[in-house]
Amino acid sequence: MPTKKKVIVTGFEPFGGDKVNSSWEAVKELKRLGLGNSVDLHVQEIPVEYRAVKDLLPSLWKQHQPHLVVHVGVSGIATTVTLEQLGNNLGYMRPDNVGYSPECGCCVVGGPETIHSVLDMEVVRQRVKESGLGVAVSTSQDAGRYLCDYSYYTSLYAGQRRCGFVHVPPLEEPYSSKELGLALQAVVTEMLGLLAKAEGTEK
């Protein structure tokens, strides 16, 4: 029997005065939907805190040794499900949920300015679009220089770029948690397909 591929998908806790975070609601929905019998799906809620992210994400990679990690965050200006291509190391000045921001303003001292995912997000977007899901999907080159971007860069650095980041809109603007969960299911499935294709080419 083939070994199941371990996939970790994270969402964020509420921040500011919000009662819910649509990213975590979407991830919980994905957990209910699953990714098929060949995937061992692990989900994790992430604090909106720089220091917690810096400790937690590398430990998730080390403990679980996942095939793929996908982080999900909410964007108040997004109207589509947005696939981020890269993480940025610098520019983290906005305080987190406990009023802290990194003294250096960066994720990893001495790290590269940007790290790109091994996944081509434009290919993922196109494949999801062709599936007829009914949820608009776009790509982006700027994850926002806050906890979303910070998490993405931290994970890309820790996991040899086998990582993706998905921004979702706030709930009901315009999609429900179920629709966002279905979109995540389609996106992560396509990401796994791209990794499998790359691994087949490398053998």
Side-chain angles (χ1 to χ4, degrees):
M1 181 180 293
T3 304
K4 285 189 175 185
K5 291 180 177 177
K6 183 166 287 188
V7 174
I8 298 175
V9 181
T10 74
F12 282 100
E13 68 179 7
F15 65 98
D18 295 339
K19 294 182 178 179
V20 297
N21 188 313
S22 63
S23 69
W24 182 235
E25 298 307 306
V27 171
K28 288 191 294 184
E29 189 64 39
L30 173 64
K31 180 66 173 177
R32 286 190 282 270
L33 293 166
L35 290 168
N37 294 330
S38 63
V39 176
D40 178 12
L41 173 62
H42 175 83
V43 302
Q44 177 86 37
E45 187 177 26
I46 302 292
V48 184
E49 299 177 26
Y50 293 106
R51 285 176 287 204
V53 165
K54 187 173 185 178
D55 291 339
L56 177 60
L57 297 190
S59 70
L60 282 178
W61 279 99
K62 186 174 182 179
Q63 177 185 349
H64 295 283
Q65 298 185 341
H67 188 68
L68 171 68
V69 173
V70 180
H71 302 294
V72 186
V74 63
S75 168
I77 61 172
T79 56
T80 66
V81 171
T82 307
L83 312 180
E84 301 292 347
Q85 186 62 61
L86 58 92
N88 294 282
N89 193 23
L90 306 173
Y92 296 96
M93 311 305 292
R94 182 180 168 193
D96 62 16
N97 262 3
V98 294
Y100 174 81
S101 59
E103 291 178 12
C104 64
C106 69
C107 299
V108 178
V109 175
E113 188 172 335
T114 60
I115 302 178
H116 285 66
S117 171
V118 296
L119 299 158
D120 187 329
M121 297 303 172
E122 182 55 34
V123 172
V124 175
R125 183 201 69 79
Q126 187 62 34
R127 290 184 177 180
V128 173
K129 180 182 176 183
E130 290 169 357
S131 73
L133 180 66
V135 173
V137 180
S138 62
T139 58
S140 164
Q141 300 283 331
D142 185 355
R145 303 305 205 286
Y146 193 44
L147 264 297
C148 291
D149 208 346
Y150 188 88
S151 298
Y152 195 18
Y153 185 97
T154 299
S155 204
L156 287 164
Y157 188 87
Q160 296 182 314
R161 305 191 297 131
R162 299 175 66 87
C163 184
F165 194 99
V166 182
H167 265 124
V168 296
L171 288 180
E172 310 300 337
E173 297 182 23
Y175 302 114
S176 66
S177 59
K178 184 173 182 179
E179 288 173 313
L180 292 176
L182 287 166
L184 286 183
Q185 185 185 48
V187 165
V188 177
T189 298
E190 295 299 343
M191 288 178 175
L192 285 169
L194 280 188
L195 281 179
K197 184 177 180 181
E199 287 158 0
T201 303
E202 289 166 5
K203 290 178 182 177

